[in-house]
Amino acid sequence: MIDSAALLKDLKGQLRLLVADLRARAEDSGDAWGTRLKEEYAEARTRERTGHSWVVWRDNEVDQAAVAWIIATTFLRFCEDNDLLTGAHLNGRPTPIGWITGPGDRTALAEENLTAYFRANPTHNRRHWLQQGFAVLAAQPAGKALIDRKHNPVWTALIRPESAAALVEFWRRTDDAGVLIHDFTDLDLGTRFLGDLYQDLSEHAKKTYALLQTPDFVEEFILDQTLTPALKEFGHDGLKLIDPTCGSGHFLLGAFHRLMKVWEHEAPALDVKERVRRAMDSIHGVDLNPFAVAIARFRLTVAGINAIGERSLAAIPALGYHLAIGDALLGESGGVPATIPGIDDDEDPDVERTYLYDTEDLADYVGILQPGQYHVVVGNPPYITVKDAVLSALYRDSYKTAHRQYALSVPFAELFYRLAVKGNRNEPAGYVGQITSNSFVKREFGKKLIEDLFGGFHLDNPVDLVQVIDTSGAYVPGHGTPTVILVGRRRKPVGDVVRVVMGIRGEPGQPKVPGNGLVWTEIVENLDNPEFNGKYVSVGDLPRAVLVSHPWSLSGGGAADLLQLLDGQAARISQREIVVGRTTHTGLDEAFYRPTGYAGRRNLVEFVPVILGDEVRDYRIGGETETLFPYSSDGFAVGPSGEFLREMWTYRSPLRRRVDFGHEPEERGLRWFDHSMFFADRFRSRLSVAFAFVATHNHFVLDRGGKVFKQSAPVIKLPKGASEDQHLELLGVLNSSTACFWLKQVSHNKGEGGGARVDAGYAAMGSEEWRNTFEFTGTKLEQFPLPAELPLVRGRELDTLARELDQNSPRAVVADWLQDGMSPSTSLDQRLKEGGAAWERLRERMIFEQEELDWEVYRLYGLLDDDLAYSGDEAERLVLGQRAFEIVVARQVETGEEESTWFTRHGSVPITEPPT
């Protein structure tokens, strides 16, 4: 039995060696493969298939070729250890058993066979020998597609003989007892380990293609909602299913096993090989990644062997599944491959053809991406944005929903419905199911997807959403990105409601068995109960009209009703004629940015503080960075000093090459040392409300000028002449917990925002939901509902307290002490102690005022009838644990009603009774 983790770790080392070998060959002008790569790249650029540089494009091809060698030898080893090539023939002649190694005496047998091969082929080396083994695998009817001679790089990307020898020796490694370290012997012929290799073997491929396995329990759930009803409606004979993002084949394997059960039940007298062939004939898949498709083909092949009951590839015919390598988005919409029979350039000069790479075989699967033919379309599309500008433009031209800086999940959602059978009076509609990133739900690029596609009434591609299931709180291994499951049919909408599962809270911890997680269990057990309101999710039938408007709110537990109540306010921030955005964009931060104090030490006068998003917190603006600034205090361009030019001179070439709006600076009338985009009017207007673009919750701060703000810390600019009080009342309402709730309902949840935990696939859930960051955009802020009265007094008080807090920061205390000439009357130590005590008192006052601000704003929005805010004259304070919700939670924990890590996380002692 193979140890998946150990195999993956060891193979990564082999991959690095092969990548280094093949990268050198790709640059060797005398190497046939390297020459062909350069030809491919030139044609791909000419035919607008890629906009990447040669180096980026080459590295991708090199990585694919290196992985192909790893995967091909893995297939061969699996076949050897499980005797799957017994009785195999090559060119009509029986082949030896033993190519690389295997348990028992297989290594010695492989060496004997190799010696005999070298006698017959004295000029060959171990690379030729490995290729001979690949040829045997490919020569079997059921193995032809596994190491395809026409498209697989192992036939053209020829590794050095030394690399081939090292690869053979790697597979022969043994422990101290002489036992093979990597032994694939498995009576059940399990191939799950190949899914792990697909996802994690190559870091380059993982980032480029967003490789991600779909967990079995998710795949089974989606097939329950799609394939199961489709079989009842369309029948099993002739049913067609496709995963256009098939990866290592999880959905396809699950579908095959279900189809086999149906065939066994419906046609028990039919020969088992024919049942397998007919079930496989229903299976279709496409993926851009060649080794992903290779793995999916191998896994389906082994599944077919198991189903037939044979133990050798030589004993079974071609299985008949349909898995193609290529870009599903382009293959369907970018024209037809040039090799389609019956279509000639001279016959139809207007047909626009997608350029296919040598590793792609879409041309061998004519019609696989023809729209409207599949009864079931399922998948887990990639969630990334496209880095290649040319490719992104191609997708944008082909898919109406590809809007703004879209993620790939958007055009794939459109493609899924294109591929499904279109329902009409005579033909039932195809079923579509997918788990995908929920980023489209709130972010601006999802607007067309929701309002145009999911609106449902397009004649060419109607969509009937049936289920929308918020899975962002469930533990889904590998999915660090919050997700949603969408199930629908390709037909005009039927009915006025959509079944929606809304999240209330996330999984409280990582379950031992992901499929038994608390959130997932509530989803599965209560999907059919529209009145369910549980601890983790609530289920309901939402009016379809709600889901044809962007953004969606998928929060349960009454959140949708509260959002609707808030949105019922008459006023919006946009009615105040605000402007939201950054004040500058340098275009090359490393050329302009310096640590605070640097400019003064270098006698530079052209600088101002630049504020980043994580420096806008708790009514205060930090600042550890300055930017070189060739403008006056009124925002006008000034002639640079000699010191400024000397500082910038080393960056002059990259600064001149900056491109914005398609042009370099001097083409836009700028100086080479100007900021790429400087909004002088925003800079001149001294008052502004700055906020953190990405944060765990809302942070808004009043700024009184003299700084610039980059994209991560945009500012709200009120109309010219707006008073400070108008800014402060806005500051108050935007920093309230009510605003926090509203913003989180309409803003994109970015999860944890990166890091090792996210890379490992752990989304912030339950007790760690506080890790989630949200993207607070200007577009959303413009729609923020305002109550008739705003909390000016408390907004002003919190701003005043924050400024006093700043005056007692360690930096300010030290600066004051130095300015006083290091007065001997008060030591620095004493000053710091006094400042620290004042800091604590002021923070406790701010916590109190924030708490009262929240109670006041509840009333201003009509959420409370009574005024519950404190109105006394004393300056009150609150410490950790004394807020109302903390006392309530402490009581619930004490009685066992609730579990919470709040107190542990904050180092707080639970308080169950209010202090005197």
Side-chain angles (χ1 to χ4, degrees):
M1 182 71 73
I2 197 67
D3 182 335
S4 181
L7 176 67
L8 178 63
K9 180 180 177 181
D10 289 350
L11 282 177
K12 285 185 175 181
Q14 288 299 304
L15 182 63
R16 285 192 291 272
L17 296 174
L18 291 174
V19 165
D21 178 356
L22 289 169
R23 185 180 292 123
R25 298 181 83 82
E27 293 293 351
D28 184 351
S29 57
D31 186 272
W33 179 66
T35 301
R36 175 57 191 152
L37 280 186
K38 293 182 178 69
E39 292 172 353
E40 265 199 288
Y41 175 69
E43 190 165 0
R45 290 277 292 192
T46 301
R47 300 273 295 276
E48 296 186 340
R49 175 72 193 269
T50 185
H52 278 318
S53 67
W54 157 250
V55 171
V56 172
W57 187 90
R58 174 209 66 193
D59 284 351
N60 186 59
E61 298 301 306
V62 164
D63 185 80
Q64 286 188 13
V67 172
W69 278 94
I70 296 284
I71 295 298
T73 54
T74 302
F75 290 171
L76 194 56
R77 286 282 295 105
F78 186 91
C79 290
E80 284 189 292
D81 288 6
N82 293 290
D83 295 320
L84 297 184
L85 291 175
T86 302
H89 285 68
L90 178 62
N91 299 325
R93 300 173 59 186
T95 59
I97 296 174
W99 296 96
I100 301 176
T101 187
D105 61 354
R106 289 292 178 85
T107 300
L109 186 58
E111 273 300 301
E112 289 177 15
N113 293 333
L114 177 61
T115 301
Y117 175 79
F118 282 163
R119 287 198 195 101
N121 303 277
T123 61
H124 285 196
N125 56 57
R126 277 177 169 76
R127 183 189 69 228
H128 296 98
W129 177 243
L130 286 175
Q131 288 178 317
Q132 190 78 355
F134 303 157
V136 171
L137 186 54
Q140 311 316 305
K144 184 178 179 182
L146 301 181
I147 309 180
D148 177 23
R149 280 187 170 276
K150 186 177 177 183
H151 302 282
N152 197 303
V154 297
W155 307 110
T156 53
L158 305 181
I159 59 177
R160 293 179 301 122
E162 297 86 350
S163 297
L167 193 53
V168 170
E169 290 308 309
F170 164 81
W171 287 118
R172 290 180 175 178
R173 290 167 52 218
T174 58
D175 59 19
D176 294 339
V179 177
L180 278 176
I181 291 175
H182 299 299
D183 184 346
F184 293 88
T185 305
D186 183 357
L187 291 176
D188 296 325
L189 299 181
T191 57
R192 175 77 194 191
F193 74 93
L194 286 170
D196 297 331
L197 291 191
Y198 152 76
Q199 180 172 293
D200 295 316
L201 176 59
S202 165
E203 289 300 321
H204 172 88
K206 188 171 186 176
K207 292 177 181 177
T208 302
Y209 300 103
L211 307 186
L212 187 63
Q213 295 185 83
T214 306
D216 291 340
F217 66 93
V218 175
E219 161 254 307
E220 290 169 2
F221 176 81
I222 292 176
L223 290 178
D224 283 343
Q225 311 308 314
T226 54
L227 179 57
T228 298
L231 284 166
K232 293 178 181 176
E233 195 161 353
F234 294 101
H236 60 286
D237 197 359
L239 183 133
K240 296 178 73 173
L241 172 146
I242 188 171
D243 180 351
T245 56
C246 68
S248 61
H250 271 35
F251 277 105
L252 305 182
L253 280 167
F256 168 71
H257 292 308
R258 289 174 182 238
L259 286 162
M260 274 303 295
K261 288 181 180 178
V262 175
W263 275 104
E264 288 166 4
H265 181 268
E266 297 295 332
L270 194 64
D271 179 73
V272 64
K273 291 182 180 179
E274 181 60 18
R275 289 202 300 266
V276 168
R277 190 198 65 77
R278 293 191 187 186
M280 288 288 187
D281 191 44
S282 294
I283 303 298
H284 301 72
V286 180
D287 202 281
L288 180 60
N289 190 296
F291 70 79
V293 174
I295 288 172
R297 288 170 176 170
F298 189 82
R299 297 182 74 188
L300 279 170
T301 299
V302 173
I305 291 173
N306 265 331
I308 291 171
E310 293 284 355
R311 294 297 297 188
S312 172
L313 276 169
I316 62 173
L319 293 174
Y321 49 71
H322 314 271
L323 270 66
I325 303 166
D327 190 332
L329 291 175
L330 290 182
E332 191 272 336
S333 63
V336 291
T339 51
I340 285 187
I343 294 183
D344 185 88
D345 284 345
D346 294 333
E347 294 177 17
D348 192 355
D350 295 326
V351 172
E352 189 178 323
R353 290 166 175 78
T354 300
Y355 176 66
L356 299 180
Y357 294 125
D358 289 352
T359 53
E360 296 179 326
D361 59 10
L362 269 174
D364 299 339
Y365 294 85
V366 176
I368 191 172
L369 290 166
Q370 179 183 339
Q373 63 173 315
Y374 292 99
H375 306 101
V376 181
V377 185
V378 289
N380 185 357
Y383 308 158
I384 57 174
T385 55
V386 186
K387 301 294 190 295
D388 188 327
V390 170
L391 204 53
S392 180
L394 281 174
Y395 296 153
R396 195 183 298 278
D397 289 343
S398 303
Y399 295 89
K400 296 175 183 178
T401 54
H403 178 54
R404 302 184 69 161
Q405 295 299 110
Y406 64 90
L408 277 175
S409 52
V410 169
F412 269 114
E414 185 175 341
L415 173 62
F416 277 31
Y417 281 95
R418 285 188 191 179
L419 294 172
V421 170
K422 185 177 177 181
N424 53 47
R425 291 180 181 177
N426 302 315
E427 183 82 30
Y431 288 80
V432 177
Q434 60 182 308
I435 180 171
T436 188
S437 165
N438 73 358
S439 56
F440 75 89
V441 168
K442 305 282 178 68
R443 296 183 68 183
E444 290 305 310
F445 69 73
K447 187 175 179 66
K448 285 192 174 182
L449 180 65
I450 287 175
E451 297 185 356
D452 292 356
L453 185 69
F454 294 156
F457 293 98
H458 284 275
L459 295 177
D460 58 335
N461 201 23
V463 171
D464 179 14
L465 269 184
V466 177
Q467 296 168 353
V468 176
I469 302 165
D470 177 21
T471 48
S472 60
Y475 177 69
V476 183
H479 291 59
T481 302
T483 55
V484 62
I485 290 176
L486 304 173
V487 178
R489 304 190 69 177
R490 192 185 178 198
R491 66 187 181 192
K492 290 182 179 180
V494 175
D496 297 327
V497 297
V498 177
R499 179 62 48 83
V500 179
V501 177
M502 296 165 282
I504 296 176
R505 65 179 64 185
E507 191 74 30
Q510 183 178 333
K512 291 182 180 179
V513 180
N516 294 338
L518 298 173
V519 179
W520 185 257
T521 299
E522 275 202 357
I523 291 172
V524 174
E525 292 181 352
N526 298 286
L527 179 62
D528 295 329
N529 179 6
E531 304 299 323
F532 179 75
N533 191 26
K535 188 174 183 179
Y536 301 99
V537 302
S538 58
V539 184
D541 288 333
L542 289 190
R544 192 176 297 276
V546 172
L547 295 174
V548 298
S549 178
H550 185 269
W552 284 351
S553 174
L554 299 180
S555 297
D561 293 336
L562 177 53
L563 180 66
Q564 187 175 4
L565 190 153
L566 294 175
D567 279 334
Q569 305 293 318
R572 293 284 185 272
I573 281 189
S574 58
Q575 293 173 268
R576 296 198 164 204
E577 299 179 5
I578 64 166
V579 173
V580 183
R582 66 186 115 185
T583 55
T584 196
H585 168 65
T586 69
L588 190 67
D589 290 347
E590 57 266 38
F592 289 91
Y593 287 6
R594 301 291 187 275
T596 297
Y598 176 92
R601 293 192 295 272
R602 299 295 291 266
N603 296 318
L604 286 161
V605 295
E606 300 102 324
F607 72 93
V608 293
V610 59
I611 306 304
L612 316 182
D614 58 2
E615 295 169 341
V616 181
R617 292 290 187 274
D618 297 333
Y619 296 89
R620 300 165 57 242
I621 291 176
E624 302 293 331
T625 310
E626 299 167 345
T627 181
L628 300 178
F629 190 71
Y631 308 98
S632 69
S633 60
D634 292 326
F636 295 103
V638 296
S641 65
E643 289 82 0
F644 180 90
L645 287 176
R646 277 193 292 274
E647 187 72 23
M648 300 294 287
W649 191 248
T650 54
Y651 295 97
R652 64 192 182 281
S653 294
L655 285 170
R656 284 190 166 113
R657 291 196 297 268
R658 289 172 294 167
V659 175
D660 285 283
F661 310 108
H663 298 284
E664 295 176 350
E666 290 168 334
E667 294 174 330
R668 298 168 52 217
L670 301 177
R671 302 168 294 181
W672 62 266
F673 51 79
D674 276 329
H675 292 194
S676 283
M677 286 182 271
F678 173 57
F679 302 91
D681 287 344
R682 298 178 193 174
F683 179 72
R684 291 187 195 108
S685 174
R686 292 307 187 198
L687 290 175
S688 58
V689 177
F691 63 96
F693 183 70
V694 175
T696 56
H697 53 285
N698 46 326
H699 291 281
F700 291 83
V701 182
L702 178 62
D703 178 62
R704 292 173 170 83
K707 310 175 187 69
V708 291
F709 295 81
K710 70 172 299 179
Q711 184 182 14
S712 62
V715 294
I716 302 171
K717 290 287 184 180
L718 271 64
K720 187 176 180 180
S723 67
E724 183 167 299
D725 278 358
Q726 287 176 298
H727 287 79
L728 288 169
E729 64 183 13
L730 192 61
L731 179 79
V733 72
L734 287 174
N735 276 316
S736 69
S737 60
T738 305
C740 184
F741 167 81
W742 187 91
L743 285 167
K744 286 188 176 185
Q745 294 305 302
V746 302
S747 300
H748 171 54
N749 181 349
K750 293 175 67 68
E752 290 188 53
R757 282 169 45 85
V758 175
D759 292 341
Y762 299 108
M765 303 169 298
S767 62
E768 295 191 325
E769 239 172 330
W770 57 275
R771 292 177 181 265
N772 284 329
T773 57
F774 292 79
E775 188 175 272
F776 302 123
T777 68
T779 306
K780 296 294 192 298
L781 269 175
E782 289 174 356
Q783 298 305 311
F784 181 77
L786 293 173
E789 181 186 347
L790 297 179
L792 169 61
V793 175
R794 282 205 163 83
R796 184 191 294 130
E797 179 67 15
L798 280 160
D799 173 69
T800 301
L801 289 169
R803 283 188 286 159
E804 290 181 30
L805 196 72
D806 258 342
Q807 292 166 9
N808 287 279
S809 68
R811 176 180 291 174
V813 169
V814 171
D816 287 345
W817 183 70
L818 291 172
Q819 192 171 0
D820 289 345
M822 296 178 285
S823 170
S825 62
T826 310
S827 68
L828 177 59
D829 181 59
Q830 182 62 28
R831 289 275 191 101
L832 287 170
K833 286 180 180 177
E834 292 171 356
W839 172 283
E840 291 299 331
R841 286 195 303 274
L842 286 163
R843 265 193 74 80
E844 290 170 7
R845 278 286 316 281
M846 289 185 72
I847 292 170
F848 172 81
E849 289 296 340
Q850 176 68 49
E851 187 75 354
E852 298 311 311
L853 170 71
D854 290 337
W855 288 104
E856 179 181 354
V857 172
Y858 295 152
R859 180 185 60 80
L860 295 178
Y861 276 101
L863 307 182
L864 294 173
D865 294 327
D866 299 325
D867 184 359
L868 300 183
Y870 176 74
S871 57
D873 295 329
E874 293 186 35
E876 297 289 343
R877 295 183 289 168
L878 280 177
V879 299
L880 192 62
Q882 291 181 349
R883 281 174 288 180
F885 84 89
E886 292 174 297
I887 295 172
V888 171
V889 171
R891 289 172 174 174
Q892 291 173 338
V893 169
E894 186 177 60
T895 60
E897 296 174 61
E898 184 63 81
E899 294 179 18
S900 177
T901 61
W902 173 269
F903 304 102
T904 303
R905 182 166 77 242
H906 293 289
S908 170
V909 177
I911 298 171
T912 57
E913 293 300 326
T916 304

